[in-house]
């Protein structure tokens, strides 16, 4: 791998159709759906910044311009808020637009997660990078990607975040095969992985979730990987390729992951995030108690 040892860039694939959230996602990018009052992609961008990334690459497609507008300066809005003396709201709006260096690259056809990551190749270059799936919102004391960065500093190899998934639900994930690393129960030395296995064929309960640190070797591999299941280029096929020549680790992160790209997951995340908010939590808790469930 390259001599660069610090992860500075984070790729956000955001060009999918978000079909699980139709009809909302017909005209609104899934990544812009609000969890309480913040688009889900902003949680991920904040996580990447907190982990030390200073360059964000968002992979977009048709109908996704709201994402670019969100992270841009909204001159009219800011002027109006300034005139009205709404300094709190002005700060909220400015905080987003002044956040970070953002680049956008287009995925012309939604040909899978691996293909979306490959679109960012020229912007990433020959250095290790992070991938954050914006619909996985992770609530953690230490941001999940920061936890992974700390592991990366030691292992200097690709790392995929995992969580234990019980029962038939495992079939919705990429699942790791391998063994725990001696002395570090949170790390898993990966020997193989299976995409969306039948429950009986799952090699473990360790499912891959939407946080990765990858070495740039994966770009060459993705470039030469044939389209897989559903005519899509799977990121997991690229990771399988990495395993032929490099170490790959699974990392069982500390925190709670919410699948906000799914209606039920979004509902649960909304309740949990709202309850934790100082401004909304107490009133929301009282309201929930009045519901006859
Ligand atoms: P998902 O599979 O969760 O997103 O991909 P999706 O395909 O948009 O959603 P559903 O399943 O139809 O509801 C995870 C992330 O990868 C992006 C998506 O935008 C999402 O943020 N993605 C997926 C791409 O950027 N390009 C693709 O070709 C596929």
């Amino acid at each position: 791998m390259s001599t660069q040892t610090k992860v500075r860039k984070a790729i956000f694939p955001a060009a999918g159709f978000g079909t699980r959230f139709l009809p909302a996602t017909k005209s609104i990018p899934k990544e812009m759906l609000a969890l309480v009052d913040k688009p889900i992609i902003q949680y991920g961008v904040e996580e990447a910044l907190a982990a030390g990334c200073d360059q964000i690459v968002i992979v977009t497609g048709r109908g996704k311009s709201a994402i670019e507008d969100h992270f841009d300066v909204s001159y009219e809005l800011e002027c109006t808020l300034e005139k009205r003396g709404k300094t709190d709201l002005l700060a909220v709006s400015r905080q987003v637009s002044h956040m970070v260096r953002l680049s956008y690259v287009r995925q012309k056809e939604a040909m899978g997660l691996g293909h979306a990551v490959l679109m960012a190749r020229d912007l990433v270059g020959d250095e290790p990078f992070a991938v954050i799936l914006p619909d996985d919102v992770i609530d953690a004391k230490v941001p999940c990607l920061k936890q992974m960065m700390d592991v990366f500093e030691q292992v200097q190899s690709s790392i995929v975040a995992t969580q234990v998934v019980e029962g038939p639900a495992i079939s919705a994930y990429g699942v790791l095969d391998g063994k725990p690393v001696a002395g570090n129960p949170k790390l898993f030395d990966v020997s193989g992985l299976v995409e969306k296995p039948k429950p009986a064929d799952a090699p473990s309960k360790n499912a891959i979730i939407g946080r990765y640190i990858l070495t740039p070797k994966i770009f060459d591999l993705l470039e030469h990987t044939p389209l897989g299941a559903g005519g899509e280029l799977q990121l997991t096929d690229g990771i399988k390729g990495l395993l032929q020549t490099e170490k790959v680790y699974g990392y069982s992160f500390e925190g709670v992951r919410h699948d906000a790209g799914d209606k039920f997951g979004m509902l649960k995340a909304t309740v949990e995030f709202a309850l934790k908010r100082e401004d909304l939590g107490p009133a929301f808790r009282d309201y929930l108690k009045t519901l006859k469930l």
Side-chain angles (χ1 to χ4, degrees), residues 45-190:
V45 170
E46 287 172 359
E47 181 182 326
L49 297 183
C53 293
D54 59 7
Q55 290 179 51
I56 304 293
V57 178
I58 303 185
V59 184
T60 66
R62 261 184 303 285
K64 300 281 184 166
S65 54
I67 300 176
E68 293 179 48
D69 289 342
H70 179 69
F71 290 106
D72 199 359
V73 175
S74 178
Y75 188 70
E76 298 83 352
L77 172 67
E78 290 182 13
C79 272
T80 306
L81 293 174
E82 204 158 16
K83 270 191 216 146
R84 292 185 185 163
K86 306 249 182 203
T87 45
D88 290 5
L89 295 176
L90 185 62
V92 169
S93 174
R94 283 202 172 137
Q95 192 236 338
V96 180
S97 44
H98 295 234
M99 231 170 193
V100 69
R101 275 166 65 190
L102 288 160
S103 314
Y104 297 91
V105 62
R106 200 101 168 169
Q107 185 189 25
K108 291 184 182 162
E109 261 182 84
M111 287 168 64
L113 186 55
H115 185 256
V117 168
L118 190 53
M119 295 299 99
R121 179 175 197 165
D122 290 345
L123 291 169
V124 170
D126 189 29
E127 55 183 274
F129 60 96
V131 177
I132 290 193
L133 302 193
D135 42 0
D136 272 355
V137 178
I138 298 181
D139 190 11
K141 262 200 208 124
V142 177
C144 178
L145 189 61
K146 171 81 177 87
Q147 297 176 36
M148 294 169 74
M149 295 282 205
D150 293 344
V151 177
F152 180 80
E153 269 184 24
Q154 296 159 24
V155 299
Q156 295 290 310
S157 303
S158 296
I159 304 165
V160 296
T162 65
Q163 74 174 33
V164 169
V165 172
E166 302 284 349
I170 195 82
S171 299
Y173 295 85
V175 184
L176 298 184
D177 195 359
K179 53 181 184 343
V181 171
N184 190 343
K186 301 193 129 315
L187 261 195
F188 203 72
D189 192 347
V190 180

Side-chain angles (χ1 to χ4, degrees), residues 36 50 130 193:
V36 185
L193 55 91

Side-chain angles (χ1 to χ4, degrees), residues 157-275:
S157 303
S158 296
I159 304 165
V160 296
T162 65
Q163 74 174 33
V164 169
V165 172
E166 302 284 349
I170 195 82
S171 299
Y173 295 85
V175 184
L176 298 184
D177 195 359
K179 53 181 184 343
V181 171
N184 190 343
K186 301 193 129 315
L187 261 195
F188 203 72
D189 192 347
V190 180
S191 58
L193 55 91
V194 189
E195 183 63 23
K196 300 188 172 59
K198 291 194 182 111
D201 300 335
S204 74
K205 291 178 179 177
N206 296 313
I208 301 175
I209 58 107
R211 298 291 182 274
Y212 310 76
I213 293 178
L214 298 168
T215 59
K217 175 102 200 296
I218 194 143
F219 290 128
D220 277 338
L221 293 161
L222 288 171
E223 203 82 74
H224 297 106
T225 304
L227 299 184
E232 296 198 335
L233 182 49
Q234 305 289 347
L235 185 59
T236 43
D237 284 341
I239 297 172
K240 268 190 208 163
L242 274 184
L243 278 170
Q244 306 303 314
T245 54
E246 293 181 4
K247 281 252 180 225
V248 176
Y249 291 95
Y251 172 69
S252 165
F253 69 98
E254 269 173 47
V256 178
R257 163 198 170 247
H258 297 280
D259 181 3
D262 166 79
K263 289 171 201 174
F264 190 53
M266 178 64 119
L267 285 170
K268 287 195 285 187
T270 303
V271 171
E272 290 194 23
F273 275 61
L275 284 173

Side-chain angles (χ1 to χ4, degrees), residues 12-68:
F12 285 73
F17 289 118
T19 53
R20 284 171 296 157
F21 235 114
L22 281 167
T25 44
K26 204 173 159 205
S27 63
I28 300 168
K30 168 172 76 172
E31 299 75 16
M32 286 301 295
L33 295 174
L35 173 50
V36 185
D37 55 4
K38 212 191 282 181
I40 56 175
I41 192 167
Q42 191 178 329
Y43 289 90
V45 170
E46 287 172 359
E47 181 182 326
L49 297 183
C53 293
D54 59 7
Q55 290 179 51
I56 304 293
V57 178
I58 303 185
V59 184
T60 66
R62 261 184 303 285
K64 300 281 184 166
S65 54
I67 300 176
E68 293 179 48

